[in-house]
Amino acid sequence: MDTIVKGGTIVTPHEKYKADIGIKDGKITSIASNLEANGATVIDATGKLVMPGMIDAHVHLSLPFGGTVSSDTWQTGTRAAAAGGITTVVDFAIPRDRADSLMETVNNRKAEAENDVYVDFALHGAITRWDEESRKEIGPLCKAGITTFKMFMVYRSIGWLSTDPMIVEALEETKKHGGMVQVHAESVDLIDSLIENHSSPEEIKKHGAYLHTLTRPQASEYEAIQRAITWAEYTGGHLYIVHMSTKRGAEMVAEARKRGINVIGETCPQYMHLDDSVFSQENGHYYATQPQLKKPEDGEGLWNGLNSMALSVVGTDTCTFNTEQKALWEGDFRKIPMGMPGSELMVSLIYEGVREGKLDLHRMVAVMSENPAKVFGMYPKKGALLPGSDADIMIFDPDKKYIVDFNQMETNCDWSPYQGKELTGFPTTTILRGKIIAQDGKCVGDQGYGQFIKRGPSGNFVK
Ligand code: URP
Ligand code: ZN
Ligand code: ZN
């Protein structure tokens, strides 16, 4: 052993017990009580919880979107992730031009990241067109470790929209190669017509950012979720629904899973901590994201969905835009770059749910570590505290008080959706492959230390 994490309480989805973790060459070698140091570096975890490194399987770093480029880069976004207890992020390779090959897009995205990242990273592909050429890319992409493919049921105007037949065919094709389709489930026709009906200069002036709520009702998400589930049932393909924002959607996923359909649901902290009342606040436009924030009862339904195993994964949909970028809206809700910062506070925000009795502590580890690792083909290299696994570890102080202040954070953003909020419980040390990469909310790792993770088959059914 070259390193020992000593004196902490290990928490996994299944157990909680006191033990030390021995590490050699970046891998876990032993888990036992009172391991002898014998010259190894000792990382003190006394009085703290020791969990597997967290995974944020939904980030968009430096994404060209909404007339600008998201402000968290591979560098700042992965520094923020490390500070928040995250050891692996999964970003998206989205073709810039519809004619671009997805394999080439993936290779470019990987090359962009490789020298910059502070945590390990993997990539989802995104399907924005579907023809013989793109179909033929699915097999080789899966072999190259890209086993998930996001399809957008919205975004017609920017050319990302997937039609129902495209989703059906992609579900069939990915299934053959151990892959999975991820859908951004929103009803394009309903949303586009509501936007058109609410776009008079008078309405834009009167309602401002609140028009996001008026043009994206709950039904605009759950109608699309139900449709995607239908295509998964019809094809037998593996389906993952990203960034779910509605209680009704969570109920639909629960019902489908009971019937044996292979569907996995993801939600994000913002849908459980925030609601659409923010759009009536000063600078309400900062909070515009897609899908839009919904009602308080949706937040409660999503906590319940996570705890009851209807939903299986928490990701953040990090897509950071600073105040100058948000100002591009100039009072018009259609022009706001959509998205917000996320990774750095994911763990602490979800732990709030544990403290409030909405989520079991073991479930927290499942939905942010073991489950994403299993669903996305990275387990047990990632998402596990087991001999042979990567020594990716988060040491978490459940009593540490933390007041959110974007000025003190690693994220490249000059506002926070949670500015001034007091949180209790914070990751104090983040360890990636045996090396400390963050301490007390600051990234102390090395740029480029993060590695690309070639993933195995995706879509394993998890609870
Ligand atoms: O509004 C968001 N979240 N933008 C990023 C793109 C997406 O749909 O996830
Ligand atoms: Zn999306
Ligand atoms: Zn996203």
Side-chain angles (χ1 to χ4, degrees):
M1 286 176 299
D2 49 49
T3 308
I4 299 178
V5 177
K6 213 167 180 34
T9 300
I10 292 179
V11 183
T12 73
H14 322 284
E15 294 173 293
K16 186 175 178 192
Y17 60 101
K18 278 195 177 243
D20 302 337
I21 301 179
I23 299 168
K24 187 163 170 24
D25 298 332
K27 299 270 183 204
I28 295 175
T29 52
S30 51
I31 303 179
S33 44
N34 301 318
L35 285 176
E36 288 293 329
N38 288 334
T41 303
V42 174
I43 301 173
D44 184 17
T46 310
K48 312 263 173 42
L49 304 179
V50 177
M51 305 181 190
M54 298 288 142
I55 297 171
D56 184 352
H58 193 151
V59 301
H60 301 278
L61 305 176
S62 295
L63 174 71
F65 194 65
T68 181
V69 178
S70 62
S71 64
D72 266 317
T73 61
W74 284 108
Q75 281 187 38
T76 66
T78 56
R79 288 184 68 91
I86 292 164
T87 47
T88 303
V89 296
V90 193
D91 199 293
F92 294 78
I94 307 177
R96 294 269 165 97
D97 191 290
R98 293 189 78 230
D100 291 352
S101 113
L102 187 50
M103 181 65 92
E104 221 173 282
T105 306
V106 162
N107 290 337
N108 291 341
R109 198 87 184 113
K110 206 167 129 188
E112 269 167 41
E114 237 140 27
N115 296 324
D116 279 6
V117 283
Y118 287 80
V119 302
D120 285 353
F121 75 105
L123 290 168
H124 305 292
I127 294 172
T128 51
R129 77 172 217 261
W130 189 253
D131 51 28
E132 242 352 84
E133 217 177 293
S134 37
R135 182 199 302 276
K136 282 197 188 126
E137 286 195 304
I138 298 296
L141 280 161
C142 287
K143 278 210 179 83
I146 313 298
T147 48
T148 39
F149 301 88
K150 185 170 178 183
M151 301 184 82
F152 301 91
M153 299 171 83
V154 279
Y155 299 136
R156 187 179 349 239
S157 62
I158 57 172
W160 289 3
L161 174 68
S162 283
T163 61
D164 292 348
M166 285 169 72
I167 294 171
V168 166
E169 290 191 23
L171 279 162
E172 283 166 343
E173 188 65 25
T174 51
K175 189 178 142 196
K176 290 185 206 159
H177 303 282
M180 175 168 68
V181 168
Q182 300 174 287
V183 291
H184 174 141
E186 286 192 291
S187 307
V188 68
D189 289 332
L190 179 69
I191 290 176
D192 283 356
S193 80
L194 287 170
I195 291 175
E196 204 179 313
N197 294 344
H198 285 286
S199 287
S200 69
E202 299 75 36
E203 286 234 38
I204 286 176
K205 192 153 178 237
K206 182 171 165 204
H207 297 296
Y210 191 67
L211 280 170
H212 277 297
T213 289
L214 299 180
T215 54
R216 293 172 174 87
Q218 290 151 322
S220 70
E221 179 179 83
Y222 63 69
E223 180 279 327
I225 287 176
Q226 192 58 70
R227 200 155 24 101
I229 288 172
T230 304
W231 303 145
E233 181 170 19
Y234 169 56
T235 59
H238 290 176
L239 175 70
Y240 181 100
I241 304 171
V242 294
H243 50 46
M244 288 176 48
S245 66
T246 53
K247 172 175 186 258
R248 184 86 177 264
E251 289 164 357
M252 287 170 170
V253 170
E255 191 270 337
R257 284 161 62 87
K258 261 195 214 123
R259 288 194 294 116
I261 301 169
N262 200 324
V263 52
I264 291 156
E266 168 199 275
T267 188
C268 315
Q270 58 269 32
Y271 298 119
M272 295 181 283
H273 279 275
L274 304 170
D275 61 67
D276 63 13
S277 61
V278 297
F279 293 119
S280 310
Q281 290 173 14
E282 197 188 345
N283 292 325
H285 67 287
Y286 290 175
Y287 296 83
T289 188
Q290 200 159 330
Q292 229 33 269
L293 303 172
K294 301 292 193 307
K295 306 288 177 197
E297 62 267 27
D298 289 304
E300 290 311 309
L302 294 166
W303 280 118
N304 190 37
L306 275 178
N307 207 36
S308 64
M309 301 178 188
L311 305 181
S312 312
V313 177
V314 168
T316 62
D317 197 13
T318 292
C319 190
T320 311
F321 294 106
N322 60 33
T323 59
E324 195 182 326
Q325 294 176 304
K326 290 281 183 181
L328 291 170
W329 86 308
E330 296 176 315
D332 182 341
F333 77 107
R334 299 167 299 180
K335 297 199 303 190
I336 309 176
M338 305 263 224
M340 55 176 81
S343 301
E344 200 161 350
L345 296 179
M346 173 176 86
V347 172
S348 291
L349 288 168
I350 295 305
Y351 188 69
E352 283 292 293
V354 175
R355 289 198 327 110
E356 290 167 9
K358 295 173 182 171
L359 193 68
D360 177 74
L361 178 66
H362 299 280
R363 188 74 188 143
M364 164 174 146
V365 185
V367 298
M368 292 192 291
S369 189
E370 184 177 289
N371 281 359
K374 283 183 171 171
V375 169
F376 295 119
M378 298 187 277
Y379 188 86
K381 178 177 171 65
K382 302 294 184 189
L385 295 179
L386 292 172
S389 296
D390 281 1
D392 294 357
I393 297 167
M394 175 181 77
I395 302 179
F396 186 82
D397 182 347
D399 300 315
K400 182 168 170 165
K401 303 260 184 239
Y402 176 89
I403 296 180
V404 178
D405 179 6
F406 61 82
N407 293 294
Q408 307 298 322
M409 293 170 69
E410 295 281 2
T411 179
N412 184 27
C413 196
D414 58 352
W415 71 285
S416 169
Y418 311 99
Q419 184 70 6
K421 187 177 172 78
E422 186 181 85
L423 300 169
T424 302
F426 201 79
T428 50
T429 307
T430 310
I431 300 167
L432 173 60
R433 287 180 275 105
K435 187 171 170 321
I436 294 179
I437 58 162
Q439 192 77 59
D440 298 316
K442 294 279 168 242
C443 177
V444 296
D446 293 326
Q447 188 181 330
Y449 176 65
Q451 291 178 352
F452 174 70
I453 305 299
K454 184 177 169 198
R455 297 184 288 119
S458 279
N460 300 305
F461 190 84
V462 290
K463 287 197 172 155

